[in-house]
């Protein structure tokens, strides 16, 4: 997925470079810096996310916010109205994400029941698992959670459900497991080099994430 995003941004930069070169050589005159040009850095990734991501809620909400900001810069809609709309849109997005986050794993049939619930609100939690692991719920709200599974015994496929709202969650996985990710993200996301999909060997861990101005790091 990251490779595809890099290709898109690479193409965008190439087009920008061609336009700048053409303007410098007086071959044409294209104004890149129109009112609200910076909103393209919100709109373009959102469009790409709608097309490529499995879960599109976050991308749709981000696209709406980007378009509203662009319309405001173009004096189509008053900025005061935009500001009044952005907050409800984000709140609605958070609500929808929290309601539907557990339905993401409905096609992930061989899973263990989720175990203990962990909360970090304006605080931090550092958890190391050394016995059998059957999944968990991690909730970081204006806080942080570190979950270390390197010594955990994972015998079957399990689900880790995460919610990070203005917070961060780090998950350290052991070797020999497959990691799949299903996420709904609004100004946040899931990142990591240990995401492995479509591998038959070893148990599979599904990270079912909701990221609102927050993130999950897979290590």
């Amino acid at each position: 997925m990251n490779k595809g995003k890099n290709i898109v941004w690479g193409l965008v930069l190439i087009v920008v470079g061609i336009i700048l070169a053409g303007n410098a050589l007086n071959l044409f005159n294209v104004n890149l810096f129109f009112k609200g040009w910076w909103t393209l850095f919100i709109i373009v990734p959102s469009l790409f996310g709608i097309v490529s991501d499995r879960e599109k809620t976050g991308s749709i909400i981000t696209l709406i916010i980007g378009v509203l900001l662009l319309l405001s810069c173009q004096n189509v809609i008053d900025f005061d109205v935009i500001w009044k709309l952005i907050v409800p849109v984000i709140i609605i997005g958070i609500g929808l994400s929290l309601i539907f986050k557990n339905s993401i794993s409905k096609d992930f049939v061989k899973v263990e029941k989720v175990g203990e619930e962990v909360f970090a609100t304006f605080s931090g939690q550092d958890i190391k698992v050394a016995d059998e692991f059957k999944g968990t719920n991690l909730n970081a709200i204006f806080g942080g959670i570190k979950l270390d599974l390197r010594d955990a015994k994972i015998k079957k496929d399990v689900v880790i459900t995460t919610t990070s709202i203005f917070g961060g969650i780090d998950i350290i996985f052991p070797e020999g497991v497959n990691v799949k990710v299903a996420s709904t993200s609004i100004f946040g996301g899931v990142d990591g080099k240990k995401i492995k999909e479509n591998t038959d060997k070893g148990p599979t861990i599904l990270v079912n994430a909701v990221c609102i101005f927050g993130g999950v790091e897979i290590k």
Side-chain angles (χ1 to χ4, degrees), residues 31-97:
N31 183 15
L32 284 174
F33 301 103
F34 56 88
K35 289 183 178 180
W37 62 271
W38 53 270
T39 60
L40 294 179
F41 288 95
I42 300 174
I43 295 172
V44 172
S46 301
L47 290 172
F48 184 80
I50 291 172
V51 173
S52 61
D53 292 348
R54 180 182 176 186
E55 298 304 318
K56 307 179 188 300
T57 306
S59 296
I60 292 173
I61 292 173
T62 306
L63 176 62
I64 292 172
I65 292 173
V67 171
L68 289 174
L69 290 172
L70 177 59
L71 292 175
S72 174
C73 293
Q74 294 289 325
N75 297 320
V76 176
I77 302 178
D78 187 81
F79 182 77
D80 290 338
V81 176
I82 300 296
W83 181 249
K84 292 177 181 178
L85 290 175
I86 285 178
V87 174
V89 166
I90 293 176
I91 292 175
I92 291 170
I94 294 173
L96 290 174
S97 299

Side-chain angles (χ1 to χ4, degrees), residues 118-119 125-129 136 138 145-149:
V118 178
F119 286 91
Q125 294 271 11
D126 195 342
I127 304 164
K128 186 176 179 62
V129 180
T136 187
L138 305 176
I145 298 174
K146 178 181 177 182
L147 176 64
D148 188 345
L149 299 175

